[in-house]
Amino acid sequence: MAKKDRLSGNEAAAYALRQIDPDVFPAFPITPSTEIPQYFASFVADGKVNSEFIPVESEHSSMSAAIGAEAAGARSVTATSSCGLAFMWEELYVAASDRLPILLALVNRALSGPININCDHSDSMGARDSGWIQIYSENNQEAYDNMIQAYPIAENKNVLLPIMVCQDGFITSHAVENIELLEDEKVKKFVGEYEPENYLLNAKKPLAVGPYSVTDYYMEAKVAQAHAMKSAKQAILDVAKKFEKLSGRKYGLFEEYKLEDADYAVVIIGSAAGTTKDTIDEMRKEGKKVGLLKIRVFRPFPGEEIAKALKNVKAVAIMDRAESFNSQGGPLGAEVMSSLYKAKSTSKAINYVYGLGGRDVTVDDMRKVFETLEEIDKSDEDFETYRFMGVRE
């Protein structure tokens, strides 16, 4: 029987990893992800897993060690946040180009500077083009469930790409919620054993991992990565169907909340989706047709599906918890607006940058967003598409 417990998001991620029991976990601590390897190290010390835990001297080293272990045929995982992810930058591209299905538990935190230890998505969004699959969690339950689904997605033979499971620093990582945990045996069976076809320790089939790629081959390698990322979309949906049968919890590329008949919609990632849902519930009682599209999968980006889901809305606000400094808006805004343009959408769209450095997001804030959408829809005047929410005057 499934077990109910109260866990923080970090505890939930570590609990899932205990059930999976990966082969190798190299790690270096950084706030707010430190607790994940801390809890896991306790599992190792107590003999609850068979994993090799490797304390390393930096985040660059942790990803390097994960790459080495994965290339040798071992299932690998690590965890980090913020500048730790930035320190891994070089190795993120190596892991993806070597087609190694490593799992990274990323607890989102603002990048310096100025230095800040609170949540925004500048770390993962900065790595959006590194070739990693990116899945985001709204709450602790999703952080747990996404960790369990990660390896079956990444290790799919049509994919073979590294995957990062993201959750919001402190907001979910340290807050405690009631969640439902699956039985150890069922998780172990669902994830299965890692059986790579090609790995360095296979003496019967020698190969090189990460060799120098001359001009004649480099582009083909990148195209192969691009095709694998496209294939990841179907793998994510297939794994989600199997997980629903196991847990009763349904996942997809994104979640639609009261969107079917909505005139005005918000597109958002992460924990602020919960605040937005509360806002929608309040405004629905007032007769306002408002809805939400919550992004779960940012890479591969489900552009066509998003445009289809938003086809009937009159106006949409795309919410970015990261700034691109391109004078146009944030990364999510750019991709959603591009998708709407390709679909020849007539919806009016605006892009908000919000919540940077952990700036709070309230129901009143989101209510103002929906009210702004209604004003834009009912006006024939030009409007500013690039906006900031909650900035002091």
Side-chain angles (χ1 to χ4, degrees):
M1 296 253 332
K3 171 187 172 185
K4 293 186 178 180
D5 206 341
R6 296 182 181 89
L7 298 176
S8 70
N10 281 342
E11 287 180 296
Y15 195 98
L17 288 172
R18 180 193 64 74
Q19 294 179 305
I20 295 167
D21 196 3
D23 298 313
V24 180
F25 193 150
F28 187 84
I30 183 169
T31 302
S33 67
T34 299
E35 288 182 327
I36 297 176
Q38 177 185 334
Y39 288 125
F40 196 85
S42 297
F43 297 147
V44 174
D46 294 341
K48 295 182 178 180
V49 290
N50 297 310
S51 308
E52 183 75 22
F53 185 81
I54 309 174
V56 293
E57 71 275 14
S58 73
E59 292 88 355
H60 189 281
S61 297
S62 67
M63 184 53 66
S64 296
I67 288 170
E70 194 80 35
R75 180 180 272 163
S76 303
V77 63
T78 189
T80 196
S81 297
S82 183
C83 301
L85 183 69
F87 198 17
M88 292 179 179
W89 227 258
E90 174 190 15
E91 301 303 315
L92 294 179
Y93 285 82
V94 173
S97 63
D98 286 350
R99 307 293 297 279
L100 301 174
I102 298 166
L103 170 57
L104 172 63
L106 181 68
V107 182
N108 288 113
R109 169 189 150 186
L111 279 169
S112 297
I115 191 167
N116 180 289
I117 65 166
N118 298 303
C119 172
D120 68 31
H121 298 155
S122 54
D123 48 5
S124 56
M125 286 297 167
R128 64 187 179 275
D129 297 332
S130 61
W132 283 63
I133 298 166
Q134 290 191 358
I135 295 182
Y136 289 81
S137 313
E138 176 190 337
N139 50 43
N140 302 10
Q141 183 71 64
E142 290 188 10
Y144 171 77
D145 292 346
N146 286 335
M147 291 294 285
I148 293 171
Q149 294 176 70
Y151 279 122
I153 294 166
E155 292 170 1
N156 183 293
K157 292 181 180 180
N158 294 321
V159 179
L160 294 177
L161 290 173
I163 184 168
M164 59 179 75
V165 173
C166 309
Q167 62 170 309
D168 285 355
F170 293 108
I171 301 171
T172 63
S173 67
H174 285 64
V176 175
E177 292 183 343
N178 294 327
I179 71 170
E180 188 173 283
L181 303 166
L182 299 170
E183 294 172 334
D184 291 357
E185 317 83 66
K186 290 184 178 180
V187 171
K188 192 70 176 174
K189 183 178 179 181
F190 180 84
V191 176
E193 296 295 329
Y194 182 39
E195 298 178 355
E197 291 184 8
N198 302 302
Y199 54 99
L200 285 172
L201 297 184
N202 184 0
K204 296 179 181 179
K205 195 174 181 181
L207 78 157
V209 175
Y212 175 67
S213 182
V214 297
T215 306
D216 294 341
Y217 299 100
Y218 182 88
M219 190 165 177
E220 282 72 18
K222 290 301 174 185
V223 171
Q225 280 182 252
H227 286 320
M229 189 61 80
K230 287 183 179 180
S231 298
K233 190 183 293 185
Q234 188 58 51
I236 290 166
L237 294 174
D238 291 343
V239 171
K241 284 184 180 179
K242 293 178 182 177
F243 188 78
E244 184 181 2
K245 291 180 181 178
L246 175 68
S247 67
R249 295 185 288 275
K250 186 174 183 178
Y251 289 94
L253 303 173
F254 49 78
E255 176 190 346
E256 298 177 49
Y257 186 77
K258 300 186 178 178
L259 188 62
E260 187 174 348
D261 66 339
D263 291 329
Y264 311 114
V266 159
V267 178
I268 206 164
I269 291 176
S271 59
T275 305
T276 308
K277 289 175 182 176
D278 288 343
T279 309
I280 290 168
D281 290 344
E282 284 189 7
M283 295 185 74
R284 282 278 174 170
K285 291 176 183 177
E286 299 165 9
K288 302 289 186 181
K289 292 185 176 181
V290 294
L292 168 74
L293 191 152
K294 182 190 77 181
I295 302 290
R296 175 181 180 237
V297 178
F298 186 71
R299 285 289 183 270
F301 189 72
E304 293 178 3
E305 293 86 349
I306 289 171
K308 185 177 180 181
L310 296 173
K311 66 180 180 180
N312 294 322
V313 303
K314 296 176 180 178
V316 56
I318 304 137
M319 311 296 294
D320 266 291
R321 205 159 195 164
E323 172 59 81
S324 283
F325 300 109
N326 62 1
S327 79
Q328 300 296 315
L332 180 60
E335 303 221 10
V336 172
M337 286 187 178
S338 174
S339 300
L340 294 175
Y341 176 80
K342 288 179 182 178
K344 299 180 180 179
S345 171
T346 58
S347 302
K348 295 180 179 180
I350 57 175
N351 185 196
Y352 278 97
V353 175
Y354 79 101
L356 302 184
R359 182 65 57 91
D360 200 13
V361 183
T362 67
V363 169
D364 285 342
D365 290 329
M366 298 312 300
R367 174 180 284 273
K368 289 175 184 175
V369 170
F370 282 115
E371 289 172 349
T372 298
L373 289 178
E374 186 174 7
E375 291 171 7
I376 289 171
D377 171 47
K378 294 181 178 179
S379 173
D380 294 327
E381 296 181 8
D382 292 337
F383 55 92
E384 178 59 58
T385 60
Y386 171 32
R387 302 167 180 234
F388 292 93
M389 188 180 82
V391 178
R392 296 194 307 276
E393 295 296 334

